[in-house]
Amino acid sequence: MNIVIMGCGRLGSRIATMLEKQGHAVTIVDVSEAAFRRLPEGFGGRKVVGNGMDLATLERAGIKDADAFFAVTQGDNRNYFASQVAREIFGVRRVLCRVYDPVREGIFRDLGLETFSPTSYGAQIMVDMLLNEPSRR
């Protein structure tokens, strides 16, 4: 698969590394060249410096040939906007969008995006950890 990832933070770099190791063609976009230091030495994917909300940057990243797009920056609104551009303008089939705010997550999902909220999942996991006390030996 051809995959474009917007955001080379902890999550974006991890996703890029995992998918590249599985043999996918990965391009990762970030506004800061320094962000690419999070990628492992020998990373075989492409790195594009630029704003992932910018059409020209997305085109340089190969969005026209992408099978999937991840929007995983720190900004919910940036992720939403870029996800809509990838889906509506470039016709990317799978668009996955990280959203911190659980309220926005529901709104974005209702608008047709595949969303992931670490806030929602993290809260549920922590509550489950508390209520399902581990057995003591």
Side-chain angles (χ1 to χ4, degrees):
M1 257 195 287
N2 288 322
I3 301 161
V4 175
I5 301 168
M6 180 181 83
C8 193
R10 289 180 192 102
L11 181 60
S13 62
R14 178 71 72 115
I15 292 168
T17 300
M18 292 170 70
L19 290 170
E20 192 261 339
K21 282 183 179 177
Q22 292 177 11
H24 299 284
V26 176
T27 300
I28 190 156
V29 178
D30 202 285
V31 294
S32 170
E33 175 117 21
F36 299 132
R37 75 185 188 297
R38 291 184 178 97
L39 296 167
E41 199 170 311
F43 175 73
R46 290 183 54 228
K47 303 170 212 165
V48 174
V49 177
N51 185 336
M53 294 188 300
D54 177 65
L55 298 179
T57 299
L58 289 173
E59 287 178 354
R60 277 190 299 121
I63 195 76
K64 289 181 179 180
D65 298 317
D67 300 301
F69 177 79
F70 286 85
V72 291
T73 72
Q74 295 294 316
D76 288 357
N77 291 331
R78 284 188 306 248
N79 290 344
Y80 170 72
F81 181 83
S83 294
Q84 287 291 73
V85 167
R87 192 179 70 167
E88 300 299 327
I89 293 175
F90 293 107
V92 178
R93 188 173 53 84
R94 296 291 308 275
V95 175
L96 295 94
C97 180
R98 173 171 67 183
V99 185
Y100 284 107
D101 182 343
V103 174
R104 284 185 184 154
E105 179 193 20
I107 293 168
F108 295 174
R109 192 179 320 111
D110 290 346
L111 292 170
L113 292 177
E114 289 184 71
T115 60
F116 169 79
S117 173
T119 306
S120 297
Y121 284 106
Q124 187 61 58
I125 290 167
M126 297 290 292
V127 168
D128 290 348
M129 288 172 67
L130 173 69
L131 299 178
N132 299 309
E133 189 172 325
S135 62
R136 306 230 185 246
R137 294 182 189 204

